[in-house]
């Protein structure tokens, strides 16, 4: 079941990249994100009430839902969208792929979670693969204040995503199921977005086109309702570090989709990058230490 959920998430979030691109248009990004999660929250609460999936929660839990909602369903998306205004989306994807590292650091700080050498080796190989996948973006980028600002936004978005993951671990420890936490967190994310929209005086007008509405429906149901619920379930099952490795793999699916809809051309660099990402994922899932196979035991005894 865990393997199935993992594969499902790779494809669901992999396809979301093209849907996000199709959202770009006359509707402000803040408003598009609000409609996405408002629609998703309505579906979540409807399902929860109909099938008795929503748990009774404490007031203390609501406080954590509010922070999680602001991080996962508001701030991180605003930062990522802002990042792509300054740097290529490929560079943003590379920064997003560092989420496992953020989770490992935060997990150590907040919960004392330890990581093994296999994890770090796999992440390094995976990030190398992501860099190769977007090598053209790197070569076309000149260091400037705009690029640094774009990288800052991408890092801020990844940090928010990781904090949301840490709160999910807290919720699980307090026996709050991912479906319940996601439902409430989406509402708080929408409230945060609404405040920002009203503060900026943005219009709530929505673009009426087949492409926009179809992509909005996909982002709301498969990418949000199914996506975040399953993702937080994986955080509970395999840990935040391994679950976050999804962000290293999903760009591969995004590029395959791009090759179909946008004539993306695969190169030697991108092919090698694909192999590295797959290899990195395999290594992170291996339980026994890999390094011991390359280090021979010391044959010499210490003289006393």
């Amino acid at each position: 079941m865990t393997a199935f959920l993992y594969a499902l998430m790779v494809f669901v979030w992999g396809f979301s990249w093209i849907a996000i691109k199709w959202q770009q248009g006359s509707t402000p990004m803040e408003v598009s994100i609000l409609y996405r999660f408002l629609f998703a929250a309505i579906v979540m609460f409807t399902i929860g009430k109909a099938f008795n999936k929503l748990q009774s929660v404490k007031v203390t839990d609501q406080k954590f839902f509010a922070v999680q909602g602001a991080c996962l369903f508001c701030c991180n998306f605003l930062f990522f969208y802002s990042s792509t205004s300054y740097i290529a989306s490929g560079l943003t994807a590379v920064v997003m792929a560092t989420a496992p590292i953020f989770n490992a650091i935060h997990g150590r700080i907040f919960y004392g979670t330890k990581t093994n050498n296999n994890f770090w080796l796999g992440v390094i190989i995976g990030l190398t693969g992501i860099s190769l996948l977007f090598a053209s973006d790197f070569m076309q980028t000149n260091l400037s204040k705009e690029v640094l600002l774009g990288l800052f936004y991408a890092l801020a978005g990844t940090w928010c995503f990781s904090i949301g993951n840490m709160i999910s671990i807290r919720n699980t420890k307090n026996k709050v199921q991912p479906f319940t936490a996601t439902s409430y967190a989406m509402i708080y994310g929408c409230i945060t977005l609404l405040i920002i929209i009203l503060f900026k005086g943005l219009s709530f007008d929505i673009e009426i086109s087949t492409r926009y509405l179809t992509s909005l429906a996909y982002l709301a149901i498969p990418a949000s309702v199914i996506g975040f619920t399953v993702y937080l379930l994986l955080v509970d099952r395999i840990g935040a570090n391994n679950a976050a490795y999804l962000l290293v793999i999903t760009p591969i699916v995004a590029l395959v989709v791009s090759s179909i809809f946008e004539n993306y051309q695969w190169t030697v660099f991108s092919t090698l990058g694909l192999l590295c990402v797959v290899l990195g994922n395999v290594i992170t899932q291996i339980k026994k230490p890999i390094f011991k196979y390359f280090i021979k035991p010391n044959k010499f005894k210490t003289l006393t």
Side-chain angles (χ1 to χ4, degrees):
M1 178 56 70
T2 300
F4 169 75
L5 294 176
Y6 195 91
L8 175 65
M9 282 305 308
V10 169
F11 284 96
V12 167
W13 277 358
F15 275 88
S16 68
W17 285 61
I18 190 70
I20 289 174
K21 185 171 183 178
W22 288 347
Q23 287 279 282
Q24 297 176 358
S26 58
T27 305
M29 66 174 182
E30 294 90 344
V31 177
S32 291
I33 299 171
L34 172 64
Y35 285 137
R36 168 185 177 176
F37 290 120
L38 181 60
F39 186 20
I42 292 172
V43 173
M44 293 281 285
F45 273 94
T46 301
I47 294 174
K49 291 294 184 181
F51 296 95
N52 197 27
K53 291 290 185 181
L54 289 174
Q55 298 172 264
S56 297
V57 294
K58 302 175 182 178
V59 175
T60 305
D61 293 324
Q62 294 289 352
K63 296 177 182 178
F64 284 96
F65 295 157
V67 177
Q68 186 178 34
C71 288
L72 283 184
F73 305 116
C74 177
C75 295
N76 68 325
F77 281 95
L78 293 179
F79 281 132
F80 288 141
Y81 276 61
S82 298
S83 175
T84 56
S85 299
Y86 294 96
I87 59 177
S89 60
L91 296 181
T92 302
V94 173
V95 178
M96 287 175 62
T98 62
I101 297 177
F102 276 84
N103 279 357
I105 295 173
H106 288 147
R108 183 76 177 189
I109 293 172
F110 295 120
Y111 303 108
T113 305
K114 297 181 179 180
T115 53
N116 57 32
N117 291 331
N118 290 0
F119 168 78
W120 291 109
L121 177 61
V123 168
I124 291 172
I125 294 175
L127 290 178
T128 300
I130 287 292
S131 300
L132 289 172
L133 281 168
F134 296 102
S136 60
D137 285 342
F138 279 117
M139 291 185 287
Q140 295 173 9
T141 300
N142 296 317
L143 191 63
S144 64
K145 291 182 179 179
E146 288 74 19
V147 172
L148 292 176
L149 186 60
L151 291 174
F152 169 78
Y153 280 133
L155 284 169
T158 308
W159 181 83
C160 288
F161 179 83
S162 180
I163 293 298
N165 286 194
M166 295 302 106
I167 297 176
S168 178
I169 295 174
R170 177 266 166 197
N171 293 336
T172 299
K173 288 180 179 294
N174 285 269
K175 302 187 184 304
V176 178
Q177 296 176 358
F179 186 91
T180 298
T182 303
S183 299
Y184 283 107
M186 280 186 180
I187 291 295
Y188 287 113
C190 289
I191 293 173
T192 308
L193 283 165
L194 182 60
I195 293 172
I196 294 173
I197 291 169
L198 293 175
F199 178 79
K200 297 178 72 172
L202 301 175
S203 171
F204 288 93
D205 292 341
I206 188 172
E207 180 180 328
I208 306 299
S209 67
T210 302
R211 171 173 286 194
Y212 182 89
L213 295 177
T214 301
S215 60
L216 179 62
Y218 180 85
L219 291 171
I221 307 302
S224 298
V225 174
I226 298 175
F228 280 97
T229 301
V230 172
Y231 175 78
L232 295 179
L233 184 60
L234 283 172
V235 170
D236 181 31
R237 282 172 171 257
I238 63 177
N241 300 344
N242 288 331
Y245 201 90
L246 285 164
L247 295 180
V248 183
I249 303 178
T250 49
I252 295 176
V253 178
L255 290 179
V256 172
V257 174
S258 181
S259 66
I260 297 173
F261 291 98
E262 301 175 310
N263 297 318
Y264 173 81
Q265 301 296 320
W266 288 84
T267 64
V268 174
F269 285 115
S270 58
T271 303
L272 288 174
L274 168 62
L275 295 175
C276 284
V277 171
V278 173
L279 176 61
N281 183 57
V282 171
I283 291 175
T284 59
Q285 305 304 320
I286 296 175
K287 302 299 181 183
K288 295 182 179 180
I290 293 177
F291 288 103
K292 74 175 185 178
Y293 295 109
F294 301 97
I295 302 175
K296 295 181 180 180
N298 186 6
K299 298 182 180 179
F300 301 97
K301 294 181 179 180
T302 304
L303 296 178
T304 59

